Amino acid sequence: LEASTLPAEVYSSRAWYLRELERVFMPSWSLIGREDEVTEPGSYLAMDTEWGGPVAVVRDQAGRLHAFANACAHRGAKILPDGAGKTPRSGLICPYHAWTYDHTGKLIIAPGMKNSVNFEESEVRLAPLCMEVFHGFIFVNHCESAKPLAECLGDLPEKLPEWFGVDGEAKNMICAGRRTYDVPCNWKLIFENTCETYHTSVVHKGSLGPMKSSPMEPHIGDWDGVRVPTQRSIVPLPTDFEGNNFPLPAFTDKSAFVNIFPSLQINVTWDCLWWMYTVPTGENTSRIEMGFCFPAETTKLDIFPSRLERYMNRWHVAVTEDNEIAMNQTRGLRSTLRRPGRFCELEFGTHNFNNWLLSKVLDNPGYAWDPGHRIFKSARELWSNDDEQVRMLAEQVTAKQGTLQVGIKASPTAASPQLALTSGTRVCVT
């Protein structure tokens, strides 16, 4: 309860951003999608990353998944477009010179190369990547020395068994939809917002409204969680399906926001889950990749298409409101007079993430941060953002204040070569 927020320079400094790519994202596991999105031979998922370049996962004729760099071994052209798709019958064909690879990444056709000296097609392949699957989620990693995914996730399956346990529902789910948002702000502003519910009474006053929350109990791994008690699935808006607490079949009565560091959030609730992966595309730009999953049996119901439409609307409304406040924050952080502010007790998750990040980026942080054993613990119920005062004040906030033009750029800030925080902020103190 003595902690302060991060200084403005960490949201705009080019040097800080490059250090994040090297020390935070490069050794981390990146979510590329779900197994159920690539069920047929030749189906693929592809994405571009600032820290390691373009990557792809392809299913071969035998049903196995293969992950490799999405860059031709000839002159480096990007082979597959981003997103989900299916390769031509011949394989992965480079759009530059038509070098062609099979679904395992092995070169099978290299036009005009027969007379080349010391060149053997059979010895050429796309650079392989580390890949692991967790309950249907496909993760890739550019770093051969990275920690195993299971070590990063720690005891997440034990803490949230309804979704990720041995018989957890997540492994049998179907991705029923995807959305992508490009946002002109630093990635941390988006991810920090997902770590707390303090803002919901104000930012989401006309949609989600107030949300009670409490910290995840002590746990193991590079992740954190916010437990959110609800009387029904957390997805529908308060005005959706009034009087019906079960718009879709429920398999639990719990909800939680799970933040897998550095920038993946998987939200789980009574009847579904959805992910929100914030991918940095520059120090001042980000891309949000979202996916929405439901039990396979639920997707077969006659009512599912109409229910899904309402759920998808809720997700769009919420993320749009969050993106607008992130752009607002981007403008505010440009102020030369702004100094780090104090955290509210409901921002326990943001504080935890900030300290984990600093422990990775700083040369000599002076401490080791374990996100599963945060310093802040409370025996009492936390303050709730359904407080009458905050709700009254939220009603006075005009929509115009939160509407900003797209294309905002934060002013550059010089950084120390050692990337030390010179502002004196007490982010590591609670």
Side-chain angles (χ1 to χ4, degrees):
L1 295 177
E2 298 177 18
S4 298
T5 61
L6 294 177
E9 55 262 33
V10 307
Y11 301 97
S12 59
S13 163
R14 178 69 178 174
W16 185 275
Y17 169 70
L18 293 177
R19 183 68 67 85
E20 288 175 338
L21 296 184
E22 173 194 356
R23 295 190 175 184
V24 177
F25 285 93
M26 191 66 176
S28 298
W29 289 92
S30 303
L31 175 64
I32 195 168
R34 294 272 305 177
E35 280 189 298
D36 58 270
E37 296 181 282
V38 282
T39 57
E40 299 179 6
S43 55
Y44 71 83
L45 293 166
M47 67 178 291
D48 215 335
T49 71
E50 289 297 303
W51 54 94
V55 300
V57 170
V58 180
R59 192 174 292 278
D60 68 16
Q61 297 297 324
R64 295 183 296 263
L65 291 175
H66 300 269
F68 34 70
N70 186 18
C72 185
H74 178 213
R75 287 172 60 184
K78 189 173 173 178
I79 301 173
L80 299 171
D82 290 348
K86 191 169 184 180
T87 66
R89 283 187 302 173
S90 298
L92 287 69
I93 305 174
C94 177
Y96 197 3
H97 299 98
W99 280 36
T100 303
Y101 305 82
D102 67 15
H103 297 147
T104 72
K106 180 182 176 182
L107 181 67
I108 52 177
I109 302 175
M113 295 295 292
K114 289 185 178 180
N115 296 326
S116 298
V117 179
N118 297 324
F119 176 81
E120 294 291 339
E121 287 183 359
S122 61
E123 297 177 358
V124 180
R125 64 178 302 109
L126 300 176
L129 289 175
C130 299
M131 179 189 69
E132 294 195 31
V133 177
F134 172 74
H135 281 266
F137 291 100
I138 305 171
F139 291 84
V140 296
N141 200 309
H142 287 86
C143 186
E144 292 184 0
S145 60
K147 292 193 298 187
L149 178 62
E151 185 177 341
C152 296
L153 299 179
D155 61 354
L156 176 61
E158 288 74 38
K159 296 301 181 184
L160 298 169
E162 297 89 348
W163 301 273
F164 305 118
V166 175
D167 298 317
E169 196 67 38
K171 67 176 67 175
N172 299 316
M173 285 188 170
I174 301 293
C175 181
R178 286 272 215 137
R179 280 208 175 120
T180 300
Y181 299 83
D182 289 303
V183 191
C185 73
N186 184 270
W187 68 276
K188 293 186 293 298
L189 297 179
I190 298 170
F191 191 68
E192 289 172 349
N193 182 72
T194 71
C195 296
E196 48 94 350
T197 64
Y198 186 27
H199 70 283
T200 65
S201 288
V202 184
V203 175
H204 304 300
K205 63 180 180 180
S207 55
L208 307 182
M211 285 187 182
K212 292 182 180 294
S213 63
S214 61
M216 182 66 64
E217 55 271 18
H219 54 276
I220 300 169
D222 291 322
W223 65 279
D224 195 17
V226 179
R227 291 198 179 272
V228 184
T230 59
Q231 298 303 310
R232 64 171 183 171
S233 171
I234 203 171
V235 180
L237 295 172
T239 55
D240 284 340
F241 315 111
E242 288 190 76
N244 182 4
N245 284 352
F246 302 94
L248 290 172
F251 54 86
T252 183
D253 60 357
K254 299 176 182 177
S255 298
F257 301 152
V258 182
N259 296 302
I260 301 173
F261 299 154
S263 65
L264 171 64
Q265 183 179 67
I266 301 179
N267 298 320
V268 295
T269 189
W270 292 33
D271 52 6
C272 65
L273 67 78
W274 72 99
W275 80 81
M276 178 174 168
Y277 185 28
T278 305
V279 182
T281 56
E283 58 264 47
N284 301 313
T285 57
S286 305
R287 172 165 291 180
I288 301 173
E289 297 283 355
M290 298 186 71
F292 315 100
C293 302
F294 296 82
E297 291 302 312
T298 297
T299 64
K300 299 174 184 177
L301 298 174
D302 291 339
I303 62 170
F304 181 69
S306 61
R307 295 290 195 261
L308 176 62
E309 184 177 358
R310 301 281 288 275
Y311 277 47
M312 293 290 286
N313 175 66
R314 179 272 194 206
W315 283 314
H316 177 68
V317 168
V319 76
T320 299
E321 291 171 344
D322 285 332
N323 291 346
E324 286 182 351
I325 200 63
M327 291 188 288
N328 178 306
Q329 199 176 356
T330 297
R331 292 286 301 209
L333 287 170
R334 297 173 62 191
S335 170
T336 58
L337 302 179
R338 186 264 177 184
R339 296 293 180 269
R342 294 291 298 277
F343 276 119
C344 167
E345 62 185 51
L346 286 187
E347 296 170 294
F348 53 82
T350 304
H351 169 261
N352 201 8
F353 164 66
N354 284 170
N355 279 281
W356 178 88
L357 181 72
L358 295 178
S359 72
K360 303 295 182 182
V361 177
L362 295 179
D363 290 314
N364 297 294
Y367 65 95
W369 188 263
D370 180 355
H373 292 80
R374 67 170 60 83
I375 296 174
F376 174 66
K377 298 185 179 71
S378 178
R380 59 174 175 79
E381 184 176 352
L382 298 183
W383 175 81
S384 174
N385 65 357
D386 62 359
D387 177 88
E388 287 187 12
Q389 181 184 48
V390 72
R391 299 184 73 169
M392 180 270 292
L393 294 171
E395 289 302 318
Q396 300 178 51
V397 177
T398 64
K400 189 174 181 180
Q401 286 181 280
T403 304
L404 298 171
Q405 294 181 350
V406 173
I408 298 168
K409 292 184 180 179
S411 56
T413 305
S416 163
Q418 296 299 314
L419 297 181
L421 300 183
T422 57
S423 66
T425 180
R426 301 179 68 195
V427 291
C428 299
V429 180
T430 56

